[in-house]
Amino acid sequence: MTAHIIDGKALAEELRQSFKARVATLTAKGQKPGLAVILVGADPASQVYVKNKVNACEAIGMKSEKIVYDAAVDQQTVLGKIAELNADPTIHGILVQLPLPRHFDESRVLEAIAAQKDVDGFHAENVGALAQGKPRFIPCTPYGVMKMFAQGGVDLNGKEAVVIGRSNIVGKPMALLLINAGATVTVCNSKTKDLGAHTRRADILVAAVGKPKFVTADMIKPGAVVIDVGINRLTDGPDAGKLCGDVDFAACLETAGQITPVPGGVGPMTITMLLANTIEAAEREASARSSSRAGEGPGERGPG
Ligand code: NAP
């Protein structure tokens, strides 16, 4: 039987439409959600990612601010800008586009972002909260994958889940989310012995490797839900220049129960969840402000 294809593009569009009303409500309360994106250098791929993020904000009525620095900028200047954005009440989310040039201490820069505005979910405080099962911000790519499971009616409780990849951006937070959802989780990496023995047990398989067509049909349990996070540009053959995932999609289509395509799968969900995180941050700020205003009211002060 051919697998059901999980359409990330359609789900992303549906979610973005639903965000418009939340943005309008916040804007009416004087809390228009605002995202600041810092780009250091002129890496073409990073420039495209930043442009897409800014355009996505504007399309749903959010404020966006793009700050671009020359690759030679010193770290202190960027840290100063982050401090300014941390204090700016019109900015609810701050994102530093990675990778940074070599002279930067990446973790120092990420830790400088106020945890309440860390919409990428990379700050140690937010990673810790996720590990404790009380997330504030969920990293965008695995957050998008969880939305795809929810939309596809995939019950994770008690399932065998295998994640290939252990990066801080995808693999690790994905594994934490699956653990929190009640799955039995195995996380594989480049040192894993007999990878196929693990993946063939998986009811849920998430590939975040960065190698084109790495997951082949013989590595999949029949009926498994296969999520392809990989985004690779093919360099050889008739498809040179085209995007390709970590999963051999055509071959796995007959074995998997559900599968995500590349492009049009996880990719569109990542920016969508960045918007979701920024809106959530603005909603938290709006509710904190209204409860602090209520606290200042005469009723709170009591008689006299
Ligand atoms: P990464 O930091 O390079 O991590 C890749 C992981 O794959 C590492 O943990 C590595 O293991 C593991 N790996 C490499 N070869 C392996 C093998 N032979 N067997 C098992 N595991 C192996 O990459 P990433 O940032 O997680 O990204 C992974 C892919 O997702 C890339 O294609 C990236 O472009 C894509 N991506 C897509 C989105 C999206 O929006 N769809 C977002 C982020 C990333 P070691 O740790 O042992 O080296």
Side-chain angles (χ1 to χ4, degrees):
M1 212 180 83
T2 306
H4 166 70
I5 297 172
I6 306 173
D7 187 343
K9 199 171 164 205
L11 177 58
E13 185 51 37
E14 189 185 314
L15 288 170
R16 289 184 199 198
Q17 288 304 324
S18 74
F19 293 163
K20 285 183 180 171
R22 288 165 70 188
V23 172
T25 304
L26 285 160
T27 305
K29 288 182 188 168
Q31 282 286 340
K32 182 176 190 156
L35 174 72
V37 184
I38 298 179
L39 172 65
V40 183
D43 173 63
S46 293
Q47 284 177 329
V48 171
Y49 292 141
V50 167
K51 191 175 106 201
N52 290 345
K53 287 167 187 175
V54 167
N55 289 348
C57 285
E58 284 164 7
I60 61 163
M62 282 169 52
K63 171 187 157 120
S64 70
E65 195 175 323
K66 183 170 89 170
I67 302 114
V68 182
Y69 291 107
D70 186 85
V73 70
D74 62 299
Q75 176 163 298
Q76 209 46 46
T77 303
V78 175
L79 291 177
K81 185 68 195 178
I82 291 174
E84 207 182 284
L85 294 167
N86 283 343
D88 182 343
T90 71
I91 294 296
H92 304 89
I94 305 169
L95 177 156
V96 176
Q97 186 65 43
L98 301 177
L100 286 166
R102 281 207 193 143
H103 64 281
F104 276 80
D105 176 347
E106 204 163 274
S107 59
R108 173 121 191 261
V109 172
L110 296 179
E111 294 301 309
I113 297 171
Q116 296 77 5
K117 297 191 179 189
D118 165 43
V119 282
D120 257 342
F122 297 159
H123 191 290
E125 194 178 311
N126 291 322
V127 175
L130 175 62
Q132 288 179 333
K134 294 178 241 165
R136 181 199 275 137
F137 291 114
I138 301 171
C140 303
T141 301
Y143 193 4
V145 173
M146 294 305 282
K147 285 279 175 200
M148 293 172 115
F149 288 140
Q151 199 236 10
V154 178
D155 180 11
L156 298 166
N157 222 342
K159 295 283 163 51
E160 286 286 336
V162 173
V163 180
I164 318 178
R166 56 173 165 174
S167 70
N168 290 334
I169 295 173
V170 188
K172 274 186 210 155
M174 187 74 251
L176 287 171
L177 287 165
L178 289 164
I179 290 169
N180 294 345
T184 302
V185 182
T186 304
V187 184
C188 301
N189 59 63
S190 62
K191 315 286 186 304
T192 299
K193 294 192 176 78
D194 198 354
L195 183 66
H198 295 284
T199 60
R200 275 188 287 276
R201 283 191 293 105
D203 303 307
I204 313 287
L205 179 63
V206 181
V209 191
K211 293 186 175 168
K213 300 187 185 182
F214 179 78
V215 175
T216 48
D218 62 313
M219 292 169 74
I220 291 178
K221 177 177 175 177
V225 178
V226 178
I227 305 289
D228 190 353
V229 178
I231 301 180
N232 311 289
R233 195 156 302 269
L234 293 171
T235 48
D236 308 310
D239 290 333
K242 286 193 181 162
L243 287 184
C244 163
D246 288 344
V247 175
D248 186 345
F249 180 80
C252 294
L253 206 51
E254 298 304 315
T255 314
Q258 298 194 44
I259 190 165
T260 63
V262 177
V266 177
M269 292 300 292
T270 296
I271 292 186
T272 303
M273 302 326 290
L274 174 67
L275 301 177
N277 277 343
T278 309
I279 295 168
E280 286 168 21
E283 286 170 344
R284 279 195 286 270
E285 178 64 22
S287 102
R289 280 188 182 210
S290 73
S291 35
S292 87
R293 268 200 296 273
E296 284 161 12
E300 288 289 317
R301 285 192 215 112

